[in-house]
Amino acid sequence: MRQNRLQSENQALADERKQEIDKLTQNLKQERNASEDARLKLTQKLNKTELLIQRANSLESGVIELKNDLKQSDDIKNQTGKELAVVEAKFQAEKEKSGGLEDQLNQKETDFAQEKVSFTDLLKTKAVQSFEGVLRSLRRVYDGVAKWHVRGTAVAP
């Protein structure tokens, strides 16, 4: 009996230890699973962090490129502004020059119109004088013919 009792106690202790071992094994499995889950989550977060770092670096490079493009655009804008100022100055000078030429042209047109009027008047005067000369000559011829006719002479003047 004693041996049965010892055996039963041993069996009870063995069962108790087996239950403790099973419980510890189960706890270890749960901790291992929890640790594996935590490791997977940490790996995922590290991957996400790495992707975010890469994206941030890419964006930073893009910002630097945009800043360089903006600087180049500003330089081009400034250069274009200077060139525009030169062109505007040249245009203004040409405009003033052409304004002077236009005034000269208007003056020449006025002078030409006056000369044309004067020349026309001179031509009219000369034509009238010439016509008057022709009329005087015709008058003399007519007077001569009339005298000749009145006198009855045979020779015409």
Side-chain angles (χ1 to χ4, degrees):
M1 271 251 278
R2 191 173 142 123
Q3 204 170 359
N4 275 344
R5 194 172 129 220
L6 274 176
Q7 229 178 8
S8 288
E9 283 180 13
N10 280 342
Q11 187 62 35
L13 279 173
D15 288 341
E16 190 180 312
R17 295 252 169 156
K18 187 175 183 209
Q19 285 178 356
E20 283 180 22
I21 289 174
D22 286 343
K23 188 176 180 184
L24 287 173
T25 303
Q26 189 176 5
N27 285 343
L28 260 168
K29 284 182 183 178
Q30 286 177 351
E31 285 181 21
R32 188 182 305 145
N33 288 339
S35 175
E36 186 64 24
D37 287 345
R39 189 186 67 75
L40 286 174
K41 286 180 182 178
L42 181 61
T43 303
Q44 288 173 348
K45 286 184 180 186
L46 286 174
N47 288 339
K48 243 185 190 180
T49 303
E50 186 64 33
L51 289 174
L52 289 173
I53 289 171
Q54 288 175 354
R55 182 147 186 217
N57 289 338
S58 174
L59 290 173
E60 187 176 343
S61 297
V63 167
I64 290 170
E65 289 177 18
L66 288 174
K67 284 182 180 179
N68 289 336
D69 289 348
L70 180 62
K71 186 181 181 306
Q72 287 177 346
S73 295
D74 286 342
D75 292 345
I76 291 169
K77 178 184 158 195
N78 292 336
Q79 183 64 31
T80 304
K82 290 175 185 176
E83 291 172 0
L84 179 62
V86 169
V87 169
E88 285 177 345
K90 286 180 180 179
F91 175 76
Q92 189 63 33
E94 288 295 321
K95 185 178 177 183
E96 291 172 5
K97 184 179 176 182
S98 69
L101 292 174
E102 190 174 326
D103 291 343
Q104 289 177 358
L105 177 63
N106 289 339
Q107 183 61 44
K108 288 198 185 251
E109 285 177 346
T110 303
D111 293 346
F112 177 74
Q114 289 173 349
E115 285 180 26
K116 182 178 173 184
V117 167
S118 297
F119 185 71
T120 304
D121 289 345
L122 180 64
L123 282 177
K124 286 179 183 177
T125 304
K126 291 219 180 228
V128 167
Q129 288 173 350
S130 177
F131 185 69
E132 287 174 348
V134 168
L135 282 177
R136 277 193 299 273
S137 295
L138 284 175
R139 181 68 139 166
R140 273 188 242 135
V141 169
Y142 177 74
D143 286 346
V145 169
K147 283 182 188 176
W148 173 75
H149 189 42
V150 170
R151 284 192 213 152
T153 57
V155 179

